[in-house]
Amino acid sequence: MSPAATRRLTTAQALVRFLAAQYTERDGVRHRLIAGTWGIFGHGNVAGLGQALVEYREAMPYHQGRNEQAMVHAAVGHARQLNRLSAQAVTTSIGPGATNLVTGAALATINRLPVLLLPGDYFASHAADPLLQQLEHPVEADVSVNDALRPVSRYFDRITRPEALLASALQAMRVLSDPAETGAVTLALPQDVQAQAYDWPEEFFADRVWRVRRPAPDPAELAEAVRAVRAAARPLIVAGGGIHHSEAEQALRALVDATGIPVASTQAGKGALRHDHPADLGGIGHTGTAVSDALARTADLVIGVGTRYSDFTTASGTLFQHPGVRFLNLNITAFDAHKLAAATLVCDARSGLAALTQALAGHRVDAAYETEYRTGKARWDETVEAVFRADDDSAVPTQTQVLGALDAVVGDEDVVINAAGSLPGDLHKLWRARSPRQYHLEYGYSCMGYEIPAALGVQQAAPGTPVWALVGDGTYLMNPTEIVTAVQENLPVKLVLVQNHGYASIGGLSESVGAERFGTDYRHRVADGSFTGAPLPVDLAANAASLGMDVLRAKTVRELREALSTARAATRPTCVYVETAPAPDALPAQAWWDVPVAEVSAREAATGARKAYERAVADRRRHL
């Protein structure tokens, strides 16, 4: 018997060749699993993966990042835009390059989005020990800073011998392509092992297809779900991000059209129904609409589809107040399906919704219930029109008027990205999503600094699509560096930079919990130690321009509309900078959120806030 064919390559070269041959397939459509690699090179990866990416640059596209965390955000944006069917890899040096991955990895795993992390590591041989940037542990010599990635990764391995890659690479691809297990995957690569040669079996480099399954619901679970829906007088669907990941939007619409059950959406699920569908009630929970939250308080059956029920969605356990409320959760992960003591449908969202629609043939909610929620929707639509409208085009716009101006400019295909600050609350309540991919809110981790790099990943995934990153001044200052990458790769992302001189969202929260807005303004320090002086003389528009963006400054509502129209048509990275006016009539939260208040204090603001807190927390329920 002749020996199996082999190819002699370094570990890094073998990994790049392997990654270039991996594919996903769902519904007969094939995607490249690892579409490209982001990298910042240092002594932990330049001679290994850096050399391999040069050697095979025609097979593996490379993107140069400026910040390691930002590279993960870009890869996450790419994966979300492509419904998790394609991912990107991120490589860094050892030391700070590797630890900078932790925040991005946590974001990816919390949001169930695939990204492959390839940090450099110490010498497996310990030939150079300690080496530059190595963390020495006095009793565990196999520990490195990369171990910080273990709790935020869905799969982790350190490749201490070349042949160990054979099994680990396959496990990594399995997790990345698994709709129930996906998240950040880390293969820590000791720098000496990256450069070591090995005789790799040719089969390792053959094209490999990872089929993304659509498991159907269990018949007994489906029968129980049908009984629950038929028995409910006031059912409400909570649409989560799993609907988008499964491409189940049409299946949801078919169920709603057939049954009349209304839909409220989480941040990740918004857009599951188009905003003008008569059953779409908008966001739910702390940042939800008045109509969604009113129905949630009286719903007797809550049907969660692809949601993990964060505290924003449940208003920290105070939202669902019907005495006999029960839950039915359709989710591809049993972990999420069993939350709130629900009846479960553990299956793919599209398969489950289609089966539920068929099994409920002929069932429809009472006409009076439909009239009730449609009337509430119409009232909320009037509220949106009022806060979007600007009666004076020469006035400085409020933040909600900025959103109104953008709403008037975007097309159905545009993507609007946001993650943190006061904008997520306004967007969840007000934004009128016109397509499944238009509303891109990262609110599992609510990570400041996500928006700009994520816009790059989305733009790579959807060339020719207008992609908008909406950021406040606080978020911008966290992570503007990938503007340089956008310029370098000629990615025509559009940045809407809102200047309100501080952390607006946390400022409001601080005031409500008795912390008196301390430390939330960007202002000069005054004699008593507080930051209540004049705004800092910081020109963020000039900063964006210095990084290579075209910048349009808008001082009035009219100028803002014109600038947004210009930016949408631009073929280069373009920033629209606007300083907003305070909005005393900003829409308040429609439901509570639990942020514990000091139990004792000598300050009146805190004692008053504690009394309000105790009244609100009394409404919390344990759904058992």
Side-chain angles (χ1 to χ4, degrees), residues 235-325:
L236 174 67
I237 293 172
V238 176
I243 291 175
H244 294 308
H245 300 328
S246 178
E247 299 175 297
E249 296 89 357
Q250 291 303 316
L252 174 66
R253 176 163 184 163
L255 173 65
V256 171
D257 287 346
T259 64
I261 300 173
V263 176
S265 56
T266 69
Q267 286 280 19
K270 195 171 171 75
L273 282 185
R274 187 181 160 96
H275 76 94
D276 52 5
H277 189 285
D280 179 64
L281 308 183
I284 190 171
H286 178 63
T287 53
T289 68
V291 58
S292 284
D293 287 350
L295 258 68
R297 292 185 180 97
T298 60
D300 58 356
L301 178 68
V302 178
I303 307 168
V305 183
T307 177
R308 62 190 191 93
Y309 287 112
S310 78
D311 61 341
F312 258 56
T313 298
T314 67
S316 300
T318 64
L319 186 58
F320 305 112
Q321 289 295 325
H322 188 284
V325 65

Side-chain angles (χ1 to χ4, degrees), residues 5 109 149 194 202 424 448 492 498 508 529 587 590 614:
T109 297
L149 288 160
Q194 289 182 50
E202 283 288 350
M448 297 178 73
V498 179
L587 291 173
Q590 302 297 312
E614 290 173 352

Side-chain angles (χ1 to χ4, degrees), residues 166-442:
L166 291 167
S168 288
L170 292 170
Q171 287 296 329
M173 298 304 104
R174 177 190 65 79
V175 173
L176 288 171
S177 61
D178 190 307
E181 293 190 37
T182 196
V185 167
T186 300
L187 297 180
L189 301 171
Q191 54 186 307
D192 54 344
V193 177
Q194 289 182 50
Q196 288 174 3
Y198 181 75
D199 294 323
W200 303 89
E202 283 288 350
E203 302 99 301
F204 189 57
F205 307 115
D207 285 359
R208 192 180 302 266
V209 179
W210 301 85
R211 288 185 172 80
V212 181
R213 57 189 178 277
R214 290 193 180 278
D218 175 81
E221 287 194 333
L222 180 61
E224 182 181 357
V226 170
R227 286 193 294 271
V229 175
R230 289 187 181 277
R234 300 180 64 83
L236 174 67
I237 293 172
V238 176
I243 291 175
H244 294 308
H245 300 328
S246 178
E247 299 175 297
E249 296 89 357
Q250 291 303 316
L252 174 66
R253 176 163 184 163
L255 173 65
V256 171
D257 287 346
T259 64
I261 300 173
V263 176
S265 56
T266 69
Q267 286 280 19
K270 195 171 171 75
L273 282 185
R274 187 181 160 96
H275 76 94
D276 52 5
H277 189 285
D280 179 64
L281 308 183
I284 190 171
H286 178 63
T287 53
T289 68
V291 58
S292 284
D293 287 350
L295 258 68
R297 292 185 180 97
T298 60
D300 58 356
L301 178 68
V302 178
I303 307 168
V305 183
T307 177
R308 62 190 191 93
Y309 287 112
S310 78
D311 61 341
F312 258 56
T313 298
T314 67
S316 300
T318 64
L319 186 58
F320 305 112
Q321 289 295 325
H322 188 284
V325 65
R326 302 307 296 171
F327 296 84
L328 167 64
N329 291 338
L330 192 166
N331 205 294
I332 200 164
T333 68
F335 176 80
D336 289 314
H338 280 276
K339 289 176 179 176
L340 302 176
T344 61
L345 274 175
V346 181
C347 59
D348 169 75
R350 183 194 284 183
S351 298
L353 288 169
L356 199 56
T357 302
Q358 183 176 7
L360 286 168
H363 175 75
R364 192 168 185 88
V365 300
D366 189 80
Y369 184 48
E370 287 194 71
T371 300
E372 177 188 343
Y373 71 68
R374 290 188 183 199
T375 300
K377 173 182 173 62
R379 283 197 300 266
W380 187 257
D381 288 344
E382 292 172 359
T383 300
V384 174
E385 288 290 345
V387 298
F388 274 4
R389 184 171 56 248
D391 296 325
D392 182 1
D393 281 359
S394 64
V396 175
T398 64
Q399 181 164 285
T400 54
Q401 288 169 349
V402 170
L403 298 181
L406 183 61
D407 175 78
V409 167
V410 300
D412 288 10
E413 69 275 20
D414 293 35
V415 178
V416 176
I417 301 172
N418 186 240
S422 58
L423 279 165
D426 287 343
L427 285 161
H428 199 206
K429 292 186 196 79
L430 303 173
W431 190 259
R432 300 185 282 209
R434 306 172 196 182
S435 62
R437 282 281 141 227
Q438 182 173 84
Y439 189 85
H440 183 127
L441 259 285
E442 187 289 297

Side-chain angles (χ1 to χ4, degrees), residues 286 311-312 315-318 509 513 591-597 610 613 616-617 620:
H286 178 63
D311 61 341
F312 258 56
S316 300
T318 64
L509 177 62
V513 298
W592 186 61
W593 182 44
D594 189 353
V595 177
V597 176
R610 179 67 192 189
Y613 175 80
V617 78
R620 174 178 284 141

